[in-house]
Amino acid sequence: MPLDATIDPATHKFALVGTRPLRPDGIDKVTGRARFGADASAPGMLVGKILRSPHAHARIRAIDTSKAAKLPGVKAIVTRADFKEGDPGLRDVLHNVMARDKALYDGHAVAAVAATSAAVARKALKLIRVDYEILPHVTDVDEAMKPGAPVLHADMITANVEPAPKKASNIASRCEFGHGDPEIGFKQADLVIARSFKTEATHQGYIEPHACLASVGSDGQGELWVCTQGHYMVRNQCASLLGMDVSKLRVTASEIGGGFGGKTTVFIEPVALALSRKAGRPVKLVMSREEVFRASGPTSSASMDVKIGVTKDGRITAGTAEIRFQGGAFAGSPVEFGAMSAFACYDLEHVKTVGYDVVTNRPKQAAYRAPGAPMVAFAVESVLDELAKKIGMDPIELRLKNAAKEGTRSSYGPKYKRIGLIECLEAARRHPHYKAPLGPNQGRGIAAGFWFNFGGQTCVSLNVNVDGTVALAVGTPDIGGSRASMCLIAAEELGIGYEQVRAIVADTSSLGYNDISEGSRVTFSTGLAVIQAARDATAKLCARAAKTWGIAPDAVVWEKGYAKPASPNAGSFAPLSLADIAKTAGSTGGPIAGHCEVNAEGAGVSFAVHMTDAEVDRETGRVEIKRYTVVQDAGKAIHPSYVEGQYQGGAAQGIGWAINEEYVYGRDGRLQNPGFLDYRIPVASDLPMIDTVIVETPNPGHPYGVRGVGETSIVPPLAAVANAVSAAAGVRLSELPMAPPRVLAAIDAAASRRS
Amino acid sequence: MGEMMSKVKVSTTINGDPVEYLCDAEETLLDVLRDHLGLTGAKEGCGTGDCGACSVVVDGRVVCSCLVLGAEAEGRKVTTVEGLATGDRLHPLQQKFLEFAALQCGVCTPGFLVAAKALLDRNPDPTETEIRFGLAGNLCRCTGYDKIVRAVQAAAAEMRKG
Ligand code: FES
Ligand code: FES
């Protein structure tokens, strides 16, 4: 749905879009009334718990549950045999939900129990005997690619390689993107820099652990309450894994305590349903924090080589990258997104990126905010920073000289429509932060970032109530305040007050299929669907007015909340408000509702530029972030406070990734830090205020010009912080996280090189 | 101890009301609040004292209720997020959290509100740094803390006006 011809986003005066009303779910969330995943209960409810492999890689010879089954209070035990095999699309999902012949990582589920109390369930887990044959393991991406590495899957033949390899390996697939001939480009360069980079896996770190409440009756009908970013996905996958009809399973999305991509797959949900079906009672299953770290999330770790050439006057002549992501025990790391996005900010004649998707004995990676892009941006933007320094050019100037714009052929193929990277770079350069003086041991870093954004399948329903209020049902879980934005959009279209619209996230039986809340798609595509549903409703409202007035429906228009005759020729009638028409709906044709079912296309890509000042303690290697500014293109900000919130939250997560967070594996292949004490995410005292600038370069693919905003904000911070720390430390940091020992070692190494 | 553990009987005050309950000796105050008393405002983000989502006030001190036994509440005064508002009147912190959009997902919010109230009770005019350190025991993964700090500053200013 293209940008409205009638709306010039630069000058158009929206009545409500762009204002900052209180969110409709706010009171519930500040009073403790909001119900999250673990907050539900049901009569007769049992407690479910999962037994997990303590080994990184082990053959499961046998599982003996007989002792556990005899424990009083144990009502059901499930293993892999309790799930339906055979759906090829869900093969790995099922393997991850419950191991079969092999446990592939520390934390891999092998069995589960439901019991009358948590204490009994815990005791039962201890009584289950699993006979493991421990196998050699591998957790590092580069190690896993070496010939002779322990192979996880005997049938894994690298895809997209000609000729196909004869032997199985841990390399699931290869991908390649780009155009031109980098060899020609590098010859045209005055300076070429090639560097290697590594990043560790980080966890999405949502504060709410995965939780669900499942209930399956002996008639095979099921209910599931769950914190998820996509309850339709949960329904479809669970139904398949349990051999149920999709219609028999109703899934309700609870309030969700953070997801960031990590709640876009099933983990415990099929297990809870299987337990409930076997026990004939409701089962609540909640992950502990340790389970969250060991068995859900994290993102990929990466190993990358980047090479970029520039001329003396700052024109990039070529860029190449080879990136290797391990995505845990199953194929599917976001290496393609990484390879596609690596050079997406720039207008390049010669560019090539190659990616390898690699499996290791770690939990299956899950999407994490702009999956794949932040690590690759770290590598590319670090090299650009170094190039700018070496040719003596301002880093923003270097990026402006090469910035992608409308018409640029992107490094991953398509030509860009209207985009806002140049606007972001210029806004960053104008920002007072960019000129502010730095203190001792401080450095400033800037970096740009790109994300695709997504549209997808969406269905909404908008019901006009008898008193002129409106009930809006959407099918995308609200992960960042989207109900507020949807109410704003509906009210804007209908010409009524924001408070007159109430938005709910409907369950899977009440609305057609909706894709997951992911890909920064909700404000874009659910918003687009709300606009269409509202316009569907106003058309019907106009028809009712026409009927009342006895004129043709097309002689009536909807304007600022009123049905009016389209022109004086149509007759002279006093305008009818939405409430007027709603009141008499029963006698003019029955209920009035607007609907929209759409596979939304036209999601506009978005860009951000971050800058930050870091201070390095040269004695300890500790990094402190002194100042941070986010500049990002939102297309059109519907509720600016929540747009800013996305910018700030992404920046904070990126800062954590850059300086602190990492999965630490021991030699035994076990995760060493599965808790918030040792996996330390930023706290309030670690961060400064995070300044934001909302740039609005309208997306030509949306009536109001909206672009997704949720993910781009985590793309630049790894690089921005690394550039700042490198400037402050006087040495280039090329591995994350930049924890004190690593920074100190780099400073010492640089000092000994100098002496 | 056999299969059946004997329950502990506890008399306490929660959000101003006298409350009696039976709990297992090893159950935490958080378990009791959430599973026995239906007060699900406090959340379990970690169960190990590292996230603050379970923060409640016991006799004037903020504690992680996941680290306190249910039995330890005997004779004490417990305040949870459910006790912050007076009838339909929100506490200034609750109001400012809404106005400043200091929550995204909101799962950390009860813990922050409880911790921030205790902070302001102690120090009605904290600096930004004091707020940041005062709330350093509470994790928020969504907001980057900017809007939370601003909301607490605004609530403090309003409360000082009285
Ligand atoms: S649940 Fe108590 S501190 Fe995290
Ligand atoms: S608002 Fe989501 S964790 Fe704080």
Side-chain angles (χ1 to χ4, degrees), chain A residues 504-530:
Chain A
I504 60 147
V505 179
D507 66 63
T508 54
S509 299
S510 305
L511 209 55
Y513 178 82
N514 279 269
D515 278 331
I516 302 170
S517 296
E518 65 177 358
S520 300
R521 76 177 210 89
V522 172
T523 314
F524 170 76
S525 36
T526 308
L528 189 145
V530 169

Side-chain angles (χ1 to χ4, degrees), chain A residues 576-594:
Chain A
L576 287 173
S577 71
L578 182 138
D580 295 334
I581 301 168
K583 199 161 39 192
T584 59
S587 55
T588 59
I592 301 171

Side-chain angles (χ1 to χ4, degrees), chain A residues 20 22-23 25-27 29-32 34-36 38-39 71-72 119 122-123 203-209 255-258 260 284 289 368-369 479-481 641-642 644-646 648-650 652-653 656 661 675-677 679 681-685 687-691, chain B residues 2-3 5 24 26 34-35 40-48 50-51 53 81-85 90 93-95 97-110 112-113 128-129 131-133 135-147 149-150 153:
Chain A
R20 301 172 184 245
L22 301 192
R23 60 196 283 165
D25 53 323
I27 296 277
K29 286 187 171 163
V30 298
T31 54
R35 297 205 316 146
F36 290 83
D39 296 341
L71 186 70
R122 270 192 297 269
K123 201 163 179 187
H203 196 276
Q204 294 79 350
Y206 31 81
I207 305 302
E208 178 197 34
E255 293 295 339
I256 171 171
F260 315 110
K284 180 154 145 183
R289 178 55 54 181
Y368 182 15
R369 213 168 190 159
I479 55 176
S641 298
Y642 291 103
E644 292 162 4
Q646 291 298 318
Q648 292 165 331
Q653 285 183 318
E661 298 176 28
F676 280 137
L677 186 62
Y679 182 100
I681 72 173
V683 300
S685 54
L687 296 175
M689 291 296 187
I690 297 170
D691 214 350
Chain B
E3 291 298 331
M5 261 169 296
D24 291 339
E26 86 269 7
R34 292 180 52 81
D35 299 341
T40 54
K43 308 296 177 199
E44 179 165 323
C46 67
T48 52
D50 300 311
C51 77
V81 69
E82 287 92 344
L84 290 191
L90 294 181
L93 275 163
Q94 293 172 308
Q95 186 60 34
F97 265 60
L98 291 179
E99 286 170 16
F100 281 75
L103 48 139
Q104 275 174 37
C105 78
V107 80
C108 68
T109 310
F112 268 97
L113 289 168
E128 183 193 329
T129 306
I131 293 173
R132 288 188 179 276
F133 280 89
L135 299 178
N138 291 78
L139 299 180
C140 174
R141 192 57 158 172
C142 297
T143 64
Y145 305 102
D146 182 300
K147 292 183 190 302
V149 173
R150 290 179 202 276
Q153 287 172 324

